[in-house]
Amino acid sequence: KMAKYINSSVHGDGSGFTMPASAAQVLNSVISKFGGDVTLKFGDSMMQASGDGYVLVARLCEGKYPPYDRLLAAETTSSAVIDRLSVISSIDRMFSTGGSDGGGIALLFSEGNLGIRMDNTMLGKSSYDEIPCEYKGSTLRICVNGRFLSYMLSSLDCDYVEVKMSGEEKPMIIEPYDYEGDVSLVSLIMPMRI
């Protein structure tokens, strides 16, 4: 899973960094609690965020990462507009009644419908739910980690999301649908075999 957070109201020199998800969650919570202006400073291995009443220091991610901008800009052959909260509720309900062996769920896209299926072979259980959606493309089945998908959808602040796909073995791109504002979060989730 990957995400690209874009805030057009922030002004800087155009440079950036990659930070661990846990540090990003803490920073988001702190900013939500304290509000106000935030000053970000970063070097090769550390970043510092400071504002009124707090200073957060975190180690940055090391290593070379895939060219995510290329993956996010990839052409897609199918797209669906779905109710974000309906998908989260469906996935959470399935995990609360037994979950799956490795967190995998199958998303079955067809005209006007998103089917969500979760199997647990150890318990011999299977769950299935259907959610209405606006889908453009041929019928498609793509398997992803349900926990990752639920987490990504929970990070968004919108009613509907657009899911873009190019096939069952290609990354799935998720972004807010018809969202007007300064902040945008584009997420990418890789498919898995189940």
Side-chain angles (χ1 to χ4, degrees):
K1 64 182 176 178
M2 276 192 276
K4 182 177 182 180
Y5 180 83
I6 304 162
N7 188 334
S8 59
S9 69
V10 173
H11 305 289
D13 63 6
S15 54
F17 54 88
T18 304
M19 65 190 296
S22 57
Q25 289 171 341
V26 170
L27 180 60
N28 190 36
S29 297
V30 169
I31 291 172
S32 297
K33 182 177 180 182
F34 289 99
D37 291 339
V38 178
T39 302
L40 288 175
K41 298 177 184 176
F42 59 95
D44 292 337
S45 63
M46 302 291 278
M47 66 80 62
Q48 175 183 310
S50 58
D52 291 338
Y54 68 91
V55 174
L56 173 70
V57 178
R59 178 174 290 279
L60 298 177
C61 295
E62 295 178 15
K64 193 166 185 137
Y65 289 85
Y68 60 86
D69 280 330
R70 231 177 40 202
L71 292 171
L72 292 174
E75 284 190 38
T76 57
T77 56
S78 305
S79 68
V81 176
I82 54 177
D83 182 322
R84 180 183 68 87
L85 294 177
S86 294
V87 176
I88 293 170
S89 296
S90 178
I91 293 170
D92 291 348
R93 188 171 45 253
M94 288 180 185
F95 275 111
S96 70
T97 60
S100 74
D101 298 334
I105 61 171
L107 303 173
L108 310 162
F109 292 93
S110 59
E111 188 176 334
N113 187 45
L114 166 62
I116 303 173
R117 181 181 178 98
M118 182 183 294
D119 295 317
N120 186 323
T121 55
M122 294 180 76
L123 298 176
K125 291 178 88 174
S126 179
S127 302
Y128 183 78
D129 201 0
E130 287 187 357
I131 298 169
C133 73
E134 295 175 28
Y135 180 66
K136 295 176 188 166
S138 58
T139 301
L140 178 67
R141 178 181 185 265
I142 186 167
C143 301
V144 297
N145 186 306
R147 287 185 178 92
F148 289 171
L149 179 59
S150 180
Y151 174 76
M152 286 179 166
L153 293 174
S154 297
S155 300
L156 297 172
D157 185 25
C158 59
D159 294 330
Y160 293 91
V161 293
E162 183 172 18
V163 179
K164 299 175 184 176
M165 302 149 290
S166 294
E168 64 182 42
E169 295 181 359
K170 303 273 187 179
M172 193 166 73
I173 299 169
I174 302 167
E175 56 190 323
Y177 181 70
D178 283 345
Y179 180 75
E180 303 282 330
D182 293 332
V183 177
S184 175
L185 182 67
V186 180
S187 304
L188 179 138
I189 187 166
M190 298 300 286
M192 61 186 285
R193 295 180 191 260
I194 57 172

